[in-house]
Amino acid sequence: MSEQQQQLFYTVQQIAERWQCDAEKVSRIFQNDPAVMNLGAAADKRRRKRAYKILRIPTTALARVERELTAK
């Protein structure tokens, strides 16, 4: 198995490079997926700080979404 096949989680940037598209589009596709880990910080409205999205996408979720997108 290659190193990429053994990987358990992907970053948004890795998937964007794989799909040759914008990282923001990848982020929107996966942001509400229950299998995806969001390691980002919530917004702190008192200090006027924005929310951060740090997503880690498991290989199972990536494979499922790729199947759904290619089936269309």
Side-chain angles (χ1 to χ4, degrees):
M1 285 183 124
S2 71
E3 187 175 319
Q4 199 159 23
Q5 288 175 331
Q6 294 177 358
Q7 191 170 5
L8 298 176
F9 292 92
Y10 290 91
T11 64
V12 169
Q13 189 61 40
Q14 288 173 321
I15 296 172
E17 290 172 8
R18 177 177 172 149
W19 291 355
Q20 298 177 351
C21 69
D22 185 47
E24 187 59 36
K25 178 152 180 87
V26 173
S27 183
R28 283 194 307 269
I29 290 171
F30 286 101
Q31 70 184 356
N32 293 324
D33 192 314
V36 173
M37 289 192 312
N38 185 356
L39 304 173
D44 187 352
K45 297 198 188 287
R46 291 177 292 152
R47 294 189 181 151
R48 296 187 177 160
K49 293 192 176 207
R50 69 178 184 92
Y52 287 89
K53 291 186 289 185
I54 302 172
L55 303 179
R56 294 296 179 260
I57 297 104
T59 54
T60 54
L62 175 60
R64 178 177 38 78
V65 168
E66 285 180 335
R67 274 193 314 272
E68 291 171 1
L69 291 176
T70 56
K72 289 183 179 180

